[in-house]
Amino acid sequence: MKLILLGAPGAGKGTVAKLLTQIDGSVQISTGDILRGAVAAGTELGKKAEAAMKAGDLVSDDLIMGIMEERLKEDDCKAGYLLDGFPRTIPQAEALKELLEKMGEKLDCAVEIDVPREVILDRLTTRRTCTECGEIYNVKSNPPKEEGKCDKCGGPVVQRDDETEEAISNRLNVYNEQTAPLVDFYRNEGLLLSVKATSSEAVIDAIKEKLGIN
Ligand code: AMP
């Protein structure tokens, strides 16, 4: 399947994407993960992206489109892809549309995961992430077995730099101003599936129903 996952930070895009990869082998492509990897590795890309990310601002459209043009041409994308955190602005959505037309590919749908603001805030302030493998934990509902250590890979589990209260509040404002307009964009394209749900299972069920998957 070829899907876009839309939704505020903390809406559950990554969790839903991970579950969907198990259905048909589609790959999860998270621009946030790619950028965090580049920052950790100290590459040119990482150096360009780091300050904006730390403040909860968006990285430039040009930088993101450069990454995605390369990524979508890789072999593993032939099985399908779940775009998690991309596109995030109208110019990115327009550039993606043009790119997919050039590649002769069509999206199945753009899924908006609509979660109340209180739930988002609670999730983001209690979320912890493994810096090695990206596994997500929650200090209240799903802590690692050993504090600060990833169950899967043993890497350090920490609060992300952009999950301070100030950066979270900025990320939510940035979402409302720059990314929320994509909901109308994809509605006009006839591709929108909007799901109001706080459980990833309910989101998966709605996607399966829309795509006719049993
Ligand atoms: P995420 O993990 O998706 O919340 O992304 C973390 C941060 O990476 C964002 O707050 C942005 O600074 C940056 N980022 C990720 N994806 C994009 C994108 N498509 N466009 C611009 N910036 C992005």
Side-chain angles (χ1 to χ4, degrees), residues 97-115:
K97 186 178 170 188
E98 208 174 293
L99 177 65
L100 293 179
E101 273 166 9
K102 251 194 253 163
M103 294 170 70
E105 293 190 6
K106 266 201 172 134
L107 294 169
D108 293 307
C109 69
V111 184
E112 178 203 12
I113 310 175
D114 188 0
V115 176

Side-chain angles (χ1 to χ4, degrees), residues 183-201:
V183 171
D184 278 339
F185 179 94
Y186 286 110
R187 188 178 288 118
N188 291 337
E189 296 281 313
L191 286 172
L192 187 72
L193 168 66
S194 185
V195 191
K196 265 196 188 348
T198 49
S199 95
S200 13
E201 287 71 25

Side-chain angles (χ1 to χ4, degrees), residues 118-161:
E118 320 79 77
V119 177
I120 297 262
L121 280 174
D122 185 55
R123 277 187 192 166
L124 289 179
T125 46
T126 54
R127 178 155 83 175
R128 299 291 181 270
T129 309
C130 172
T131 57
E132 299 281 324
C133 73
E135 188 68 11
I136 305 279
Y137 295 90
N138 184 289
V139 284
K140 285 194 207 159
S141 59
N142 175 34
K145 288 193 185 82
E146 193 179 323
E147 201 186 324
K149 194 170 168 194
C150 181
D151 296 348
K152 283 206 166 158
C153 76
V157 172
V158 301
Q159 184 161 31
R160 273 167 45 175
D161 276 354

Side-chain angles (χ1 to χ4, degrees), residues 41-54:
T43 64
E44 275 308 302
L45 170 66
K47 284 181 196 144
K48 286 183 187 151
E50 192 168 10
M53 289 178 75
K54 197 162 182 184

